[in-house]
Amino acid sequence: MKLAINIWKLKTVSLRRLGLVIALLSFAQACFYPEAPSRITVERIQLRSDRTSEWDIMATHYKTVQPSGPRKGPALHRKVKRHKNLLFVVADDFVQKNLQPELQRIYKTDDIRLEEVLWWFYAPIMKKTYNYVLRLHWDGLNADSLKKALKEMEAQKQPYDVMLLAHGIPNNLIASPGQGLISWRHIGALKNSLRYADALYLQACFGNTLAPDFKAAGFKHVIAYEKLNWNFFYPEYYLEALSKTDGDTKAAHEYVLKHFNFDFSTNLVHQEIMKRFFNETRKGYLENVQLPEIY
């Protein structure tokens, strides 16, 4: 089942329509919806004392290998060596308000969040690349919590990536509801403090305006968008590419750029989403969609 997310211009028709897209993400494939990860995906969850974040210890991932040569035998399941951890943040309240009735209908509960559904969808893909995922809950993102989360990632003394799906305006990220902005000044205060940070994927509109500040903080790579962003399929392709490139950010990004048009053109679910909810043809979408740049 295919699912993707993006963060659009605030309080616009496009944003509301995005909510409908995500809510009905399974329309083309027999109404299958993501569910909370089982032990096959997440081995253990440790809720942190702040109760707005958690450590997710990902289950061991195995790759199926078909023996070759003159003495062929049964397929082997080999343990995948994973070299990175991940800080995963999704913070939105605008789409959620429009999406709540549909989510409630689907999941038969009134407290389901879009951020949870995204985590449920992405977790099996993340397991292929990451050992531990520190996940900030939807109401836990602000300047202070981001700083503390990065500090905790550094404390593991292992390479890590950050995937941050949030709204943005030039030189600022929009924090969780009621918690203001995370400005370039907040990020600038982290200058030269991140030793183990590898890559940041920043989904926010105008994310490129913050790329220099995150780079100065220590990130080796920042993948971000210029202007308003409506490429909500890239994250899924990117996570899959990471699993194919052994977590190599640059190689994964280049792989997605090279294959994006083909992958979208052969993905009937994604095309159905664009047609049904955006009244956009495959050709029209590919001609206008923005691909992120790597800094």
Side-chain angles (χ1 to χ4, degrees):
M1 184 61 245
K2 301 295 182 181
L3 170 67
I5 178 68
N6 206 322
I7 309 302
W8 269 262
K9 181 166 58 176
L10 304 180
K11 297 182 179 179
T12 64
V13 173
S14 294
L15 185 59
R16 291 192 294 272
R17 293 168 78 184
L18 167 61
L20 292 174
V21 168
I22 297 170
L24 300 173
L25 61 99
S26 63
F27 174 83
Q29 290 193 0
C31 294
F32 172 80
Y33 297 97
E35 297 181 350
S38 69
R39 292 285 295 273
I40 296 175
T41 300
V42 178
E43 182 178 305
R44 191 167 71 257
I45 299 174
Q46 296 177 348
L47 185 65
R48 299 170 76 213
S49 59
D50 59 17
R51 306 195 70 80
T52 60
S53 61
E54 64 185 43
W55 276 108
D56 293 277
I57 295 85
M58 308 306 282
T60 302
H61 182 60
Y62 294 91
K63 179 187 295 185
T64 301
V65 179
Q66 188 67 47
S68 59
R71 299 182 63 181
K72 293 185 178 180
L76 303 175
H77 302 285
R78 293 181 179 173
K79 183 177 179 180
V80 175
K81 293 182 179 180
R82 298 172 297 188
H83 309 292
K84 284 184 177 182
N85 300 324
L86 176 70
L87 171 60
F88 181 57
V89 186
V90 185
D92 164 76
D93 203 38
F94 299 106
V95 173
Q96 175 67 26
K97 290 177 180 177
N98 294 288
L99 190 59
Q100 184 62 33
E102 186 65 20
L103 286 175
Q104 186 173 343
R105 184 190 68 79
I106 293 169
Y107 289 100
K108 311 303 181 185
T109 178
D110 59 1
D111 60 355
I112 187 70
R113 295 285 310 186
L114 171 62
E115 295 90 345
E116 291 293 315
V117 176
L118 288 172
W119 160 242
W120 298 348
F121 177 77
Y122 285 135
I125 313 176
M126 292 174 175
K127 186 186 78 166
K128 300 175 185 180
T129 302
Y130 302 109
N131 284 309
Y132 302 96
V133 177
L134 176 57
R135 185 168 73 94
L136 297 192
H137 297 170
W138 71 274
D139 56 351
L141 175 63
N142 54 53
D144 185 56
S145 67
L146 180 60
K147 179 180 177 180
K148 289 180 178 178
L150 289 169
K151 184 176 181 180
E152 189 154 352
M153 297 301 292
E154 288 287 314
Q156 309 308 308
K157 296 185 178 181
Q158 296 175 349
Y160 65 90
D161 292 342
V162 175
M163 178 166 272
L164 207 166
L165 312 181
H167 294 278
I169 58 177
N171 301 307
N172 294 270
L173 297 174
I174 299 175
S176 294
Q179 300 183 53
L181 299 175
I182 303 172
S183 75
W184 62 273
R185 292 187 178 88
H186 292 119
I187 300 166
L190 299 170
K191 187 174 182 178
N192 297 325
S193 66
L194 306 181
R195 297 178 55 196
Y196 296 94
D198 187 6
L200 165 66
Y201 173 71
L202 189 56
Q203 187 80 349
C205 296
F206 306 102
N208 67 316
T209 61
L210 292 170
D213 304 293
F214 279 112
K215 292 274 288 186
F219 281 96
K220 297 178 179 65
H221 308 285
V222 175
I223 299 176
Y225 293 85
E226 181 185 8
K227 304 176 182 177
L228 297 172
N229 171 26
W230 69 307
N231 188 346
F232 48 90
F233 299 121
Y234 179 93
E236 180 185 339
Y237 295 149
Y238 172 65
L239 285 170
E240 289 286 7
L242 277 176
S243 70
K244 298 174 182 178
T245 59
D246 197 28
D248 186 319
T249 300
K250 188 175 181 180
H253 177 65
E254 291 176 350
Y255 180 91
V256 177
L257 296 189
K258 182 178 179 180
H259 295 88
F260 187 86
N261 283 18
F262 176 80
D263 288 345
F264 180 80
S265 297
T266 56
N267 192 311
L268 299 182
V269 175
H270 291 173
Q271 291 183 57
E272 181 67 19
I273 288 172
M274 294 307 303
K275 177 182 177 181
R276 182 169 291 270
F277 300 105
F278 285 86
N279 194 30
E280 182 67 271
T281 65
R282 174 186 61 82
K283 181 179 179 181
Y285 177 73
L286 291 177
E287 287 178 348
N288 294 290
V289 70
Q290 179 185 175
L291 292 171
E293 295 187 24
I294 190 168
Y295 299 87

